[in-house]
Amino acid sequence: MRLLIIEDDREALAYLAKAFREAGHSPDTAPDGLDGYALAQSGDYDVLVVDRMLPKLDGLSLVRALREQDITTPVLFLSALGQV
């Protein structure tokens, strides 16, 4: 499976990428919302793993912009927020 992980916490990003690689997947990574948005637009991903709170462009805005372009890649959100 080809996936894109968009996460600004370097340790979490490295851990997730390593875990997905060890499970046989091909993760690409981005450290902020703008880089992630650019990759998500140009890549053919099976799933996006997106942090909710990102620098430069937050996760919800990123996914909203992708949906406005009819990019319907499934998204799994990560969040440290205490409530929805």
Side-chain angles (χ1 to χ4, degrees):
M1 179 180 342
R2 186 150 183 248
L3 54 104
L4 173 60
I5 306 166
I6 309 170
E7 169 63 68
D8 63 320
D9 180 314
R10 290 180 189 210
E11 286 185 39
L13 183 62
Y15 178 80
L16 288 168
K18 182 177 186 260
F20 281 118
R21 274 192 300 275
E22 288 176 355
H25 304 294
S26 299
D28 289 336
T29 62
D32 63 61
L34 287 180
D35 288 347
Y37 178 68
L39 285 170
Q41 285 181 297
S42 65
D44 182 27
Y45 294 101
D46 297 305
V47 67
L48 306 176
V49 180
V50 181
D51 186 11
R52 170 66 177 79
M53 302 294 289
L54 291 166
K56 300 184 184 177
L57 180 65
D58 71 88
L60 291 178
S61 296
L62 183 154
V63 173
R64 186 176 298 118
L66 291 172
R67 296 302 188 246
E68 288 173 358
Q69 295 179 34
D70 294 324
I71 297 171
T72 60
T73 307
V75 176
L76 174 64
F77 275 103
L78 300 176
S79 175
L81 296 175
Q83 49 187 306
V84 176

